[in-house]
Amino acid sequence: MNALQIKNLSVAYEDKIVLKDVNISIPVGSLTGIIGPNGAGKSTLIKAILNQLPNKTGTVHILDRPLNPKDLIVGYVPQRNAVDWDFPTNALDVVLMGRYGHIGLMKKPPAKDKQIALDCLKNVGMEAFADRSIGQLSGGQQQRVFLARALAQEAEIYFMDEPFVGVDAATERTIISILKDLKAQGKTVFVVHHDLQTAGDYFDWMILLNKTITAYGPTKQTFTQENLQQAYGGKLFFMDQAKSNDNLVGER
Amino acid sequence: MNEFWVILTGALVGITCGLTGVFLILRKTAMIADAISHTVLFGIVMAFMITQSLNGFWMLIGAAAAGILTAYLVQVLQTGGLQEDAAIGVVFTSLFALGVLFITLFAGNVHLDVEHVLMGEIAFVPWDTWIILGVEMPKAVWMLLIVLSLNLLFLFFFYKEIKLSTFDPVFALSIGLPIVAMHYSFMTLVSLTTVATFDSVGAVLVVAMLVGPSATAYLMSKSVSGMIVWSMTFGVTASVTGYYLAKFWNTSISGMMAALVGVLFMLVFLLKPHDGLLWKTVKRVRLNNTKSVV
Amino acid sequence: MLTGNLLWVLVGTILLGVAAGLNGTFSFLQKQSLVGDAAAHAALPGIALAYLVFETKELPILMIGAAITSGLSVYMIQWIVNQSKLKADAAIALVLSVSFGIGIVLISIVNQSTAGNQSGLNDFIFGKAATMAKSDLIWLSGSALLIILMCLLFFKEWKLMIFDPVFAKGIGLPVERLRTLLTALTVLTIVTGIQAVGVILMAAMLIIPAAAARYWSSHLGIILVTSAFFGALSGAFGTMVSSLRIGLSTGPIIVLVAATLFLLSFFFAPTRGLLSKLRKKKEFKQRRVAQEAMSHE
């Protein structure tokens, strides 16, 4: 079974083509990085998969079915700037919102779900901040709250949009450890990632995107200099370090 | 006794608008509420033109329909590529102009007083009564109680849904929340609240009551429930104090209520511990002084 | 209505349309269309205050009062947004309604002190274009010409300031002063315009022609000219139509003409109009279907 199967997906906005002819099959249990330059359409791809874009052609199947939000199999971590952090609420409440799909319309959150939310906060190391106003949290702390909310969804497949942007080292370590845990549990995770330095280490599958799919597949085969140059339009420079196998990669 | 009804009406306005206003602020739709407060004129005129009667019930329907129409048209224009602020501006000014035109064309000799619609007259509230279930109370009080109950019912059933769809609509959509239905339901509630209120304080001042107390509460609350309580409190305070001051100075009651809404906002804006502007300025001055000593 | 008076009104509303169209374009591009609405409402307390303080209904005095409170409201909104977590929409709605409320209070005080006489200040709420006199025209033409002149002088500075204020500051443009000038001109337009169409409909003239013009071009110069043209056309056509029948107020009809122009632009403008965009989307989909059909062969 494929976790994600996309056929002939194209998205146009006004008269600009934002995504063209995307065809992907990614297996269950993989940890996939979605890589590409700015404006490549990475966030658009996520939104298209989540069926939040009306102007698309093509099909998206998750676990061999079209997406039905009521199935509660998809967890989502949006970009941090997707919400207004001045909203009057605390960290625990935000995580609890991740349970709303399970709790159902109109019902009050039972104690069991509040405990799940608290446990998820614990998993990301934020249990001490449970009743802290979200406006007082640092960027990394906010990101961890978002991650905890996605964990609270108890989904099968997770989509994360640039979770590593602007976070401190402790948060980065937390996110990586959560990703490893999810993989160990047999979950599938897709992460839009901006940092080419770390992409090769974090993910076992890769999607290289720049309006079209440059390449996708297991990291070793996909994350090559050749493919990267193509995806980034020849604007990368590579510094090979003789001592280790790490390449220093940067965007020109 | 009459004064009791007037004050009760004012208090109910403060409570109802304070409640609805919280989500206007949080959903950043304050200006759509302003738009609706203008387009209810159009709705009322249409109701009159269709039913040829000044029955309050049909005016309520007409105004509520105008409110939903406003929200819908703004959405249509935005989807057509127009930026939100201009969409709101185009829709409400056009519908308002249409309403004023229809009044002069078709209702010129009927007592459809435009000024009354815009500015209301709370002092006249006690004389227009409805009898429901054997109880006789002023029409304004009945309408406000009904609308308040509707608001409370909506919040009781959909509190967490409206909270999430306000905070993170993309996430809400991803777990299957009907956010479009929520948006239009809320806009309907705003229209009903506007209609129930404008009879007493007038359409334009409804906006003050909808936005002011909740904006003030926004500055000081750490939770949505806290914001609701503070907002309703500020609303009642502004309206009751406004009434007495207006009586004392023999001036417009609704205008005074709106003015007091502004005063309350300024007080919190300037004086709130830690966040208030004066507080922050004093802290900065003290910091500069200690620096210069060193 | 006498032909002579009609001519005055015609010229006045055309000038108003031009001024509002030009100012409105700059507000529109800064996404501040609704600030004009607040500024128009905030003129009311200023008029009443001027009357109370100076005890005269001389237009210039009242206009200065209106200009002061109107200008203050714009800065008030900015101040609140900058110094608290309140967002722009809430700040605008708050300033708009509270200042209007204060205006109502002051007007009711004025109405008492003039011994029950309707001071005529109510006219500012709805406008009385039909009674525009020669003196009003002088004000309107003055402000319209001033705005046109300023637009010509500061075209490229304002363009940069709106598009990229940080860069503009970086190359030494006095951004704050330019912005103040623009605000002052908007206030001037509002204050001279509310006599004709009233507070509530003044906002319409600032928003609708500019919004309509945006559908015809993405060059600032062309947008400005189109907006001014739409404003003038609304004023002229609206005045003519309202003169056809006794009892039709000019203000609402001018606004409705502008709204019609907007709808025509929204649907039928080439490239940016809705019909044009729908046609392009259909072509895009047809091309995709054709491509897919070919690739399956």
Side-chain angles (χ1 to χ4, degrees):
Chain A
M1 174 147 54
N2 278 321
L4 178 67
Q5 185 159 45
I6 303 182
K7 291 202 180 122
N8 301 325
L9 177 71
S10 293
V11 177
Y13 187 65
E14 305 269 305
D15 47 353
K16 251 192 326 196
I17 300 177
V18 180
L19 283 178
K20 194 159 174 242
D21 295 329
V22 173
N23 284 283
I24 306 177
S25 289
I26 308 274
V28 171
S30 58
L31 188 49
T32 307
I34 303 178
I35 313 284
N38 282 335
K42 308 191 289 286
S43 289
T44 308
L45 180 63
I46 304 272
K47 292 232 170 86
I49 295 171
L50 291 179
N51 206 10
Q52 296 200 8
L53 293 179
N55 300 333
K56 68 178 209 291
T57 55
T59 61
V60 176
H61 284 89
I62 296 189
L63 293 177
D64 293 344
R65 304 198 291 283
L67 176 67
N68 182 356
K70 301 256 162 68
D71 288 340
L72 299 177
I73 51 174
V74 173
Y76 179 45
V77 181
Q79 289 187 18
R80 247 187 2 256
N81 58 17
V83 301
D84 175 13
W85 292 93
D86 280 332
F87 193 87
T89 188
N90 59 35
L92 181 64
D93 201 33
V94 174
V95 180
L96 190 54
M97 289 184 198
R99 297 295 302 164
Y100 284 0
H102 294 269
I103 297 171
L105 279 179
M106 296 198 271
K107 298 201 206 87
K108 202 170 118 131
K112 164 190 106 172
D113 292 275
K114 288 200 186 125
Q115 189 56 49
I116 296 178
L118 201 52
D119 291 335
C120 289
L121 271 180
K122 235 179 261 179
N123 276 347
V124 298
M126 289 282 292
E127 71 272 23
F129 294 84
D131 53 7
R132 191 71 65 89
S133 286
I134 56 177
Q136 294 176 328
L137 299 175
S138 73
Q141 292 168 333
Q142 287 171 349
Q143 192 64 61
R144 281 190 268 163
V145 169
F146 261 3
L147 192 57
R149 181 177 69 174
L151 292 176
Q153 290 183 272
E154 292 180 342
E156 290 302 313
I157 312 219
Y158 290 90
F159 292 91
M160 305 188 185
D161 200 348
E162 308 228 8
F164 290 96
V165 168
V167 300
D168 51 278
T171 305
E172 201 175 322
R173 284 196 295 274
T174 308
I175 300 177
I176 297 171
S177 127
I178 298 282
L179 289 179
K180 288 208 182 103
D181 284 344
L182 288 174
K183 190 169 156 68
Q185 293 167 36
K187 315 280 187 182
T188 315
V189 188
F190 295 86
V191 180
V192 173
H193 195 58
H194 68 289
D195 183 12
L196 294 172
Q197 284 306 116
T198 48
D201 301 321
Y202 288 172
F203 307 109
D204 49 27
W205 277 66
M206 286 283 207
I207 299 174
L208 293 182
L209 178 67
N210 189 356
K211 291 208 175 72
T212 61
I213 299 288
T214 307
Y216 81 94
T219 303
K220 275 218 175 61
Q221 296 153 239
T222 319
F223 198 64
T224 63
Q225 280 195 23
E226 205 185 311
N227 282 337
L228 281 171
Q229 280 293 15
Q230 201 190 336
Y232 279 77
K235 292 193 185 128
L236 295 178
F237 66 92
F238 291 86
M239 281 163 58
D240 292 323
Q241 287 185 304
K243 287 212 179 115
S244 69
N245 286 326
D246 293 328
N247 290 335
L248 276 180
V249 188
E251 240 177 300
R252 243 199 285 267
Chain B
M1 191 56 191
N2 278 335
E3 190 172 56
F4 166 73
W5 289 121
V6 173
I7 296 179
L8 179 63
T9 306
L12 281 174
V13 165
I15 295 175
T16 313
C17 290
L19 180 58
T20 318
V22 165
F23 291 99
L24 276 177
I25 296 275
L26 292 177
R27 295 170 81 82
K28 306 197 181 45
T29 51
M31 284 313 280
I32 298 193
D34 178 59
I36 292 177
S37 73
H38 286 74
T39 57
V40 290
L41 180 73
F42 172 73
I44 291 172
V45 175
M46 292 302 288
F48 171 74
M49 277 165 51
I50 295 176
T51 66
Q52 287 299 312
S53 88
L54 284 174
N55 187 339
F57 176 70
W58 290 115
M59 305 228 163
L60 248 149
I61 303 281
I68 302 177
L69 178 68
T70 308
Y72 178 69
L73 287 176
V74 171
Q75 193 62 50
V76 167
L77 287 183
Q78 269 187 276
T79 315
L82 187 60
Q83 57 200 50
E84 185 184 20
D85 62 328
I88 295 174
V90 168
V91 170
F92 95 82
T93 53
S94 309
L95 287 181
F96 183 78
L98 201 56
V100 173
L101 181 68
F102 282 168
I103 288 183
T104 49
L105 278 180
F106 304 118
N109 54 354
V110 171
H111 181 64
L112 204 61
D113 190 354
V114 178
E115 273 185 33
H116 174 89
V117 170
L118 290 180
M119 282 166 275
E121 192 44 80
I122 198 171
F124 293 153
V125 154
W127 279 277
D128 196 359
T129 62
W130 277 355
I131 302 179
I132 299 183
L133 299 176
V135 179
E136 179 178 6
M137 285 202 293
K139 174 180 91 172
V141 173
W142 274 119
M143 289 211 289
L144 283 165
L145 278 174
I146 294 173
V147 171
L148 180 60
S149 317
L150 285 172
N151 274 312
L152 286 172
L153 252 140
F154 182 76
L155 277 187
F156 178 73
F157 284 121
F158 298 110
Y159 182 64
K160 58 185 208 299
E161 283 78 15
I162 190 107
K163 197 164 58 156
L164 178 55
S165 66
T166 305
F167 175 60
D168 193 349
V170 175
F171 183 83
L173 196 56
S174 79
I175 63 172
L177 280 191
I179 59 173
V180 175
M182 297 243 100
H183 172 71
Y184 283 111
S185 307
F186 180 64
M187 284 294 126
T188 309
L189 282 174
V190 172
S191 309
L192 291 175
T193 307
T194 304
V195 169
T197 310
F198 87 100
D199 212 34
S200 4
V201 295
V204 180
L205 298 163
V206 176
V207 182
M209 275 299 174
L210 280 170
V211 175
S214 47
T216 315
Y218 181 61
L219 293 181
M220 36 194 297
S221 305
K222 295 198 195 292
S223 67
V224 175
S225 48
M227 190 170 159
I228 292 176
V229 171
W230 275 116
S231 182
M232 295 198 289
T233 310
F234 288 140
V236 174
T237 310
S239 64
V240 173
T241 318
Y243 170 76
Y244 280 113
L245 280 179
K247 230 178 72 158
F248 183 64
W249 281 322
N250 197 14
T251 179
S252 158
I253 298 176
S254 46
M256 193 50 96
M257 288 181 179
L260 253 117
V261 157
V263 166
L264 276 175
F265 176 80
M266 269 298 133
L267 283 175
V268 173
F269 175 72
L270 292 172
L271 299 176
K272 176 172 186 285
H274 303 301
D275 300 316
L277 191 58
L278 286 181
W279 213 269
K280 288 197 277 196
T281 317
V282 164
K283 231 196 300 187
R284 212 186 329 130
V285 166
R286 270 202 209 137
L287 205 64
N288 287 338
N289 286 344
T290 53
K291 274 197 220 154
S292 56
V293 165
V294 174
Chain C
M1 252 198 264
L2 305 167
T3 325
N5 190 37
L6 182 61
L7 194 60
W8 291 135
V9 178
L10 196 62
V11 174
T13 53
I14 289 178
L15 289 170
L16 175 62
V18 169
L22 289 173
N23 263 309
T25 304
F26 288 111
S27 304
F28 178 86
L29 292 171
Q30 296 178 89
K31 298 211 186 333
Q32 289 183 346
S33 296
L34 294 172
V35 176
D37 188 20
H41 281 78
L44 198 65
I47 296 173
L49 263 177
Y51 182 81
L52 279 172
V53 170
F54 294 103
E55 288 178 5
T56 167
K57 266 197 251 173
E58 283 295 317
L59 208 58
I61 309 274
L62 297 184
M63 290 297 108
I64 291 179
I68 293 178
T69 53
S70 193
L72 266 177
S73 74
V74 176
Y75 283 101
M76 202 57 158
I77 294 171
Q78 205 51 54
W79 189 52
I80 293 177
V81 170
N82 288 341
Q83 301 291 347
S84 76
K85 56 178 192 166
L86 209 62
K87 306 294 184 290
D89 69 306
I92 295 173
L94 186 64
V95 169
L96 190 161
S97 53
V98 169
S99 54
F100 195 72
I102 295 177
I104 302 277
V105 169
L106 291 173
I107 287 189
S108 73
I109 293 180
V110 166
N111 282 345
Q112 288 158 45
S113 68
T114 54
N117 165 28
Q118 275 298 308
S119 57
L121 291 182
N122 284 352
D123 291 337
F124 286 108
I125 303 181
F126 298 102
K128 274 181 83 183
T131 59
M132 232 190 267
K134 197 162 159 196
S135 56
D136 303 329
L137 260 199
I138 296 181
W139 277 104
L140 272 175
S141 48
S143 65
L145 285 170
L146 186 63
I147 292 163
I148 296 174
L149 186 66
M150 292 292 138
C151 279
L152 288 171
L153 281 178
F154 293 108
F155 178 75
K156 57 184 199 302
E157 284 79 8
W158 279 337
K159 182 162 71 166
L160 183 57
M161 176 190 93
I162 295 175
F163 175 63
D164 192 348
V166 177
F167 181 80
K169 229 180 267 193
I171 64 169
L173 283 186
V175 170
E176 284 315 308
R177 262 181 272 166
L178 283 170
R179 212 172 287 229
T180 308
L181 179 60
L182 198 49
T183 306
L185 286 173
T186 310
V187 168
L188 179 63
T189 307
I190 290 174
V191 156
T192 46
I194 55 180
Q195 305 161 59
V197 295
V199 165
I200 299 170
L201 297 169
M202 185 66 222
M205 293 312 291
L206 281 171
I207 298 175
I208 304 181
R214 184 65 183 87
Y215 285 92
W216 295 90
S217 169
S218 49
H219 289 125
L220 179 59
I222 301 184
I223 298 177
L224 278 171
V225 171
T226 313
S227 182
F229 173 66
F230 280 161
L233 195 60
S234 309
F237 210 69
T239 307
M240 298 308 297
V241 168
S242 73
S243 72
L244 294 175
R245 195 181 129 156
I246 308 266
L248 278 183
S249 16
T250 319
I253 302 207
I254 294 179
V255 172
L256 288 171
V257 172
T260 312
L261 288 170
F262 172 79
L263 281 175
L264 291 172
S265 310
F266 180 75
F267 282 114
F268 301 116
T271 316
R272 272 172 225 86
L274 192 61
L275 290 183
S276 175
K277 282 199 263 189
L278 285 176
R279 208 181 344 113
K280 264 195 258 174
K281 220 194 279 186
K282 212 167 76 159
E283 285 170 9
F284 172 69
K285 281 211 169 118
Q286 282 173 344
R287 245 184 293 136
R288 300 229 32 79
V289 171
Q291 277 177 353
E292 258 176 72
M294 284 201 298
S295 65
H296 283 168
E297 273 159 21

